[in-house]
Amino acid sequence: MINLLIMLEKIISPASLEAVRLLLASGNNFVVLAHKNPDGDAVGSSLALFHYIKNLGKNVKVVLPNAFPEFLSWLPSAGDVLFYENDSEQATAAIMSADVLFCLDFNAVSRVGDAASAVQESCAKRVLVDHHPFPEDSFNVKISHPEACSTSELVYRLVTSLSGEEAVTFEVAQCIYTGMMTDTGAFAYASARKDIYLIIASLLDKGIDKDKIYRNVFYTSSVSRMKLHGYAMYRKLKVYSKYNSALITLSHDELMRFFAAKGDTEGLVNQPLQIKDIRFSCFLREEKPGKINVSLRSVDDFPCNEVAAEFFNGGGHRNASGGELHCSMDEAVARFRLALQKYRKALVE
Ligand code: 5GP
Ligand code: MN
């Protein structure tokens, strides 16, 4: 057994740890929440914390605004998650009767979508655990560390700081590793700090099969998803070489034609960054007619979160952000071109 705790840099403040310790000791009902369109980190960090709190002998539920992609359904207790979109009554009841809401992987209450009003009305204390920059001021305890590779990394630090490495069960370890892996493109970016690899070493010690987790997440594609990605690359990729940028658009009709399921377009926005000199990539997905979901990715110091906030009603990390538009695809593309013009200097320098 590796004694990791003494080797890791202590980033969560003692005051925050003490506050969470007290809340966990005094409360009985806990809800773990994560952001809309939950990704591997949102689901991984939520289920890791769920298992930890459950193992403390407390009542705990994970509430997500809407469904997660099928490639996360193997995560332990994924089947116990409540989805606000499908079961708003039960989800609202859980939020209203909670003593504490753990808010994971988002920095503003609005990111939980339609569940936001229940969160605002609930008397529960709110604990933020997140790695997005610029967190809102609406949390009683704020564990906000943009330097962390993922919220899952922060949950690992939180759990081990509170209860030692014994609290990281095999289930907790699987969930943590999944979140860290998905938010770093399998440790390809946002993953240069050595602590990440110390944590991975300790998760391996818990018996996780990292290669199997990789295959569960990345190698369980349907045939139609592969064809959709091929189609998007061949037919729908537009390179704006004067701006070192690329755009992929998929209309609602195109998504229907390829039977696109939740998560089938995940990762698509990263692909154009493989092209030499491309520094900024945008993917516009017409979720339903008139509603465009925006995904942005960048390399180095190009701030796609600023572009997301200024042009796409969104935000996120410097190199991975998103937003949404209520307009036609043509109008969304026009908005993207406007953003390119505005940020031209930063893109070409
Ligand atoms: P994705 O492109 O994978 O949907 O999102 C990438 C990143 O941007 C994630 O960290 C996510 O939290 C953030 N993000 C996505 N959509 C939005 C949005 O509408 N608003 C904000 N503030 N962040 C978003
Ligand atoms: Mn995350």
Side-chain angles (χ1 to χ4, degrees):
M1 173 82 72
I2 306 163
N3 188 353
L4 231 204
L5 283 181
I6 46 169
M7 293 162 82
L8 285 184
E9 194 188 335
K10 307 242 171 323
I11 67 173
I12 303 178
S13 77
S16 296
L17 288 174
E18 207 38 48
V20 176
R21 194 192 303 280
L22 280 173
L23 289 171
L24 283 171
S26 59
N28 268 315
N29 298 308
F30 298 87
V31 164
V32 183
L33 287 161
H35 61 77
K36 193 167 70 167
N37 300 325
D39 56 9
D41 188 31
V43 183
S45 60
S46 297
L47 285 173
L49 192 61
F50 164 86
H51 283 283
Y52 169 64
I53 297 174
K54 201 169 125 209
N55 293 341
L56 294 176
K58 305 279 181 169
N59 298 322
V60 55
K61 288 201 164 67
V62 175
V63 175
L64 297 175
N66 57 353
F68 50 72
E70 180 60 29
F71 62 75
L72 297 170
S73 60
W74 62 274
L75 280 165
S77 295
D80 295 335
V81 172
L82 278 175
F83 299 106
Y84 189 91
E85 192 176 71
N86 307 342
D87 195 352
S88 61
E89 233 166 80
Q90 235 191 307
T92 302
I95 293 170
M96 297 310 282
S97 61
D99 301 309
V100 180
L101 301 175
F102 281 94
C103 301
L104 265 52
D105 204 34
F106 62 87
N107 56 2
V109 173
S110 61
R111 292 280 292 132
V112 300
D114 292 341
S117 53
V119 173
Q120 303 285 11
E121 277 171 43
S122 170
C123 299
K125 294 268 190 280
R126 292 182 208 156
V127 177
L128 177 76
V129 184
D130 179 45
H131 69 134
H132 292 87
F134 320 119
E136 220 171 54
D137 238 346
S138 53
F139 304 95
N140 301 86
V141 182
K142 219 189 237 184
I143 300 175
S144 167
H145 293 277
E147 73 273 27
C149 76
S150 56
T151 299
S152 297
E153 175 191 331
L154 292 172
V155 168
Y156 177 90
R157 290 175 181 278
L158 179 65
V159 164
T160 53
S161 302
L162 290 172
S163 304
E165 279 187 70
E166 312 80 69
V168 181
T169 59
F170 176 63
E171 287 78 19
V172 172
Q174 284 185 305
C175 297
I176 301 273
Y177 185 80
T178 301
M180 291 175 67
M181 180 189 79
T182 50
D183 252 25
T184 57
F187 309 101
Y189 46 79
S191 49
R193 286 159 43 257
K194 77 174 189 329
D195 276 10
I196 291 169
Y197 301 93
L198 295 172
I199 294 172
I200 293 172
S202 85
L203 298 176
L204 290 168
D205 234 25
K206 300 287 176 179
I208 62 158
D209 182 342
K210 69 176 261 305
D211 295 357
K212 183 147 188 275
I213 292 178
Y214 184 92
R215 287 198 308 277
N216 282 348
V217 171
F218 295 117
Y219 282 15
T220 49
S221 177
S222 63
V223 174
S224 58
R225 177 194 163 275
M226 286 304 268
K227 293 195 172 182
L228 175 64
H229 279 236
Y231 170 77
M233 283 304 140
Y234 185 48
R235 298 271 189 189
K236 304 304 306 278
L237 170 69
K238 190 160 167 38
V239 174
Y240 294 79
S241 37
K242 272 199 221 140
Y243 298 89
N244 294 330
S245 297
L247 172 70
I248 296 172
T249 61
L250 287 174
S251 69
H252 184 65
D253 279 352
E254 287 167 323
L255 292 165
M256 300 270 280
R257 205 181 330 144
F258 287 90
F259 311 103
K262 190 133 205 118
D264 273 4
T265 54
E266 200 108 343
L268 200 51
V269 64
N270 296 89
Q271 300 277 81
L273 295 177
Q274 293 179 25
I275 303 167
K276 190 168 183 298
D277 294 329
I278 296 295
R279 304 186 60 212
F280 178 45
S281 170
C282 173
F283 169 45
L284 299 173
R285 181 170 55 92
E286 193 180 29
E287 213 173 271
K288 53 186 179 191
K291 167 131 194 278
I292 314 274
N293 198 291
V294 183
S295 280
L296 304 174
R297 296 291 184 274
S298 67
V299 294
D300 298 331
D301 53 4
F302 184 74
C304 63
N305 51 356
E306 285 178 26
V307 182
E310 193 174 340
F311 288 90
F312 300 115
N313 307 309
H317 308 281
R318 188 185 59 188
N319 294 135
S321 332
E324 55 185 45
L325 291 173
H326 294 268
C327 63
S328 69
M329 186 58 90
D330 286 350
E331 287 165 316
V333 172
R335 214 149 168 78
F336 169 72
R337 296 170 75 109
L338 220 64
L340 289 189
Q341 282 161 21
K342 167 92 195 275
Y343 282 85
R344 185 167 194 279
K345 243 184 106 192
L347 285 165
V348 299
E349 73 190 7

